[in-house]
């Protein structure tokens, strides 16, 4: 009989775990968070107390040695994901890892290979493809509501909240910068909506105010997909009042999503085509709960996680192509990394 209850260990006493993921894990029947590993003993202890987590550990190895831990959720800063995921796989733990999976595609491939070799499930926490809005856009495109898709525009220029103004803007070695933080999500979302792969990137960055150490806090990039779609992506940490959204324009219609590039189950969709303009009904759900549910189903042997390790490798590959295109000013080909 398939295992039905799982203890989770958190690798990283992080904000995302605190604000979204602990609740999303606990929303799954038979799943609980039993331990947390933090590099700082006191912060780890406080985090465990605050979230009613039984054990706190000051090393990943100690967490992995806890026999109750069957699954780990990795949400440390990006440069740490690689070694932590490989260690977890070697210890026989299933892995849900944050994006970007790593700082290089070679590292991400190694992580995925380690999980495959250990026979454990690995998934990437790309939350947006779990949004009811994005799932509906994908259905509309697949049903032919806009005809052949031609263009997409992503509006994901936001203001980085003060409590997150740390390593993202001042630590390049931790994988800071808006491209690895936000563009990587846009890429995954567009791949999901269009069922297509990015093949070429151009872009320009901006370092306007928040970013230090040569990092970028804004970027505009353009990606060409293998189905011909050209997508424009605007991502930033510095825009307070821009709003967010996504548009997909096809030969026979357009879908406009407003307030849909967010962590919350919110937003509105409008479809415009020869039948006129109509609001599209959406039954919102918690994105993280849905994402963890698909991962938990995969642990039971039912299907694939919403975003697999391969999805995380591909989004990282395209985001790094944007980084390179911005640095060189030259269009960068995106080669299939898998
Ligand atoms: P945080 O900065 O909150 O946490 C990252 C690490 O920083 C923690 O693991 C912790 O280290 C350390 N840390 C946390 N709080 C403090 C503090 N007060 N003082 C000193 N150090 C601290 O990062 P996020 O939660 O924003 O991001 C973590 C990961 O999750 C990243 O990979 C990010 O890209 C991803 N992410 C994904 C999102 C999604 O929707 N999929 C959304 C947000 C982030 P230690 O564990 O050693 O204690």
């Amino acid at each position: 009989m398939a295992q039905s209850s799982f203890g989770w260990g958190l690798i990283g006493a992080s904000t995302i775990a605190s604000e979204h993921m602990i609740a999303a894990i606990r929303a799954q029947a038979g799943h609980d968070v039993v331990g947390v590993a933090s590099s700082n003993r006191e912060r780890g202890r406080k985090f465990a107390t605050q979230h009613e987590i039984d054990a706190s550990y000051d090393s990943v190895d100690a967490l992995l040695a806890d026999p109750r831990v069957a699954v780990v959720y990795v949400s440390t800063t990006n440069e740490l994901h690689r070694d932590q995921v490989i260690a977890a796989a070697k210890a026989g733990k299933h892995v849900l890892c944050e994006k970007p999976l790593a700082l290089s595609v070679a590292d991400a491939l190694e992580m995925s290979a380690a999980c495959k070799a250990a026979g454990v499930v690995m998934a990437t926490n790309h939350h947006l493809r779990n949004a009811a809005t994005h799932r509906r856009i994908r259905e509309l495109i697949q049903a032919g509501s806009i005809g052949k898709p031609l263009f997409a525009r992503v509006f994901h220029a936001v203001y980085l909240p003060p409590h997150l103004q740390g390593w993202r803007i001042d630590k390049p070695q931790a994988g800071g910068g808006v491209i690895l933080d936000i563009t990587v999500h846009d890429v995954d979302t567009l791949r999901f909506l269009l069922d297509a792969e990015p093949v070429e990137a151009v872009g320009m960055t901006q370092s306007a105010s928040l970013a230090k150490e040569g990092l970028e806090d804004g970027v505009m990039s353009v990606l060409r997909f293998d189905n011909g779609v050209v997508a424009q992506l605007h991502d930033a940490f510095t825009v307070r009042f821009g709003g967010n959204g996504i548009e997909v324009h096809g030969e026979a219609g357009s879908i406009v999503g407003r307030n849909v590039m967010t962590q919350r189950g919110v937003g509105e969709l409008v479809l415009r085509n020869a039948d006129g303009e109509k609001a599209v009904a959406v039954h919102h759900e918690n994105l993280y709960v849905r994402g963890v549910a698909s991962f938990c189903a995969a642990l039971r042997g039912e299907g694939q996680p919403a975003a697999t390790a391969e999805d995380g490798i591909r989004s990282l590959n395209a985001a790094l192509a944007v980084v390179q295109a911005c640095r060189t000013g030259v269009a960068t080909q995106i080669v299939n990394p898998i």
Side-chain angles (χ1 to χ4, degrees):
M1 211 172 77
Q3 188 178 345
S4 59
S5 74
F6 291 84
W8 288 60
L10 307 181
I11 300 184
S14 67
T15 308
I16 178 74
S18 195
E19 292 183 351
H20 296 280
M21 292 301 290
I22 293 172
I25 293 164
R26 287 181 169 154
Q28 317 296 327
H31 291 255
D32 194 14
V33 179
V34 296
V36 57
S38 166
S39 59
N40 180 304
R41 183 171 298 191
E42 198 42 41
R43 198 174 57 247
R45 239 185 238 147
K46 274 195 192 139
F47 188 95
T49 305
Q50 183 191 351
H51 296 289
E52 299 181 354
I53 296 169
D54 189 56
S56 70
Y57 298 102
D58 59 9
S59 79
V60 171
D61 286 346
L63 175 90
L64 295 176
D66 184 334
R68 297 170 302 170
V69 173
V71 188
V72 296
Y73 167 56
V74 177
S75 66
T76 46
T77 50
N78 305 327
E79 84 285 16
L80 300 174
H81 296 174
R82 175 191 177 276
D83 288 356
Q84 292 168 340
V85 167
I86 291 173
K90 286 190 173 153
K93 317 292 181 184
H94 302 288
V95 177
L96 174 57
C97 183
E98 271 306 341
K99 49 44 72 171
L101 283 185
L103 301 190
S104 75
V105 172
D107 283 355
L109 285 166
E110 250 190 274
M111 293 153 73
S112 166
C115 288
K116 277 202 183 107
V120 297
V121 176
M122 178 178 168
T124 310
N125 202 29
H126 276 307
H127 61 296
L128 286 165
R129 54 168 70 211
N130 298 298
T133 46
H134 291 294
R135 288 185 287 117
R136 193 75 188 100
I137 297 173
R138 180 180 152 96
E139 284 167 9
L140 289 167
I141 294 171
Q142 291 189 344
S145 306
I146 61 166
K148 179 179 159 47
L150 298 174
F151 294 101
R153 300 201 293 173
V154 181
F155 310 93
H156 208 163
V158 297
Y159 191 74
L160 188 65
H163 70 285
L164 294 183
Q165 290 178 15
W167 57 270
R168 281 179 176 81
I169 52 172
D170 63 11
K171 211 174 164 196
Q173 66 275 25
V178 77
I179 299 174
L180 286 187
D181 201 52
I182 300 185
T183 309
V184 74
H185 275 311
D186 300 346
V187 170
D188 183 68
T189 306
L190 288 167
R191 289 185 58 245
F192 175 70
L193 297 185
L194 301 170
D195 229 345
E197 296 299 336
V199 291
E200 189 176 3
V202 294
M204 275 190 202
T205 57
Q206 184 181 72
S207 300
S209 51
L210 288 179
K212 301 172 194 82
E213 309 290 347
L215 285 169
E216 78 288 349
D217 54 24
V219 61
M220 281 190 170
S221 58
V222 177
L223 297 178
R224 186 189 303 282
F225 282 77
D226 60 4
N227 63 351
V229 168
V230 174
Q232 186 186 60
L233 285 59
H234 179 199
D235 303 311
F237 289 150
T238 49
V239 175
R240 290 175 192 265
F241 304 109
N244 70 74
I246 198 163
E247 297 174 357
V248 186
H249 303 286
E251 280 179 347
S254 292
I255 303 167
V256 175
R258 287 287 175 257
N259 201 21
V260 298
M261 304 304 291
T262 161
Q263 297 180 295
R264 292 169 299 126
V266 295
E268 304 83 40
L269 298 184
V270 169
L271 172 65
R272 288 189 212 121
N273 57 21
D275 298 331
E277 172 170 316
K278 66 172 183 214
V280 178
V282 176
H283 304 290
H284 291 294
E285 278 180 73
N286 181 303
L287 285 62
Y288 295 99
V289 171
R290 190 178 169 97
V292 176
S294 79
F295 176 73
C296 294
L299 298 182
R300 297 191 300 269
E302 299 163 18
Q304 292 283 312
T308 60
E310 285 71 27
D311 290 314
I313 294 166
R314 287 179 184 276
S315 63
L316 173 65
N317 186 46
L320 290 173
V322 171
V323 171
Q324 193 186 332
C326 292
R327 275 194 196 138
T328 60
V330 175
T332 300
Q333 304 305 310
I334 303 173
V335 178
N336 180 353
I338 293 170

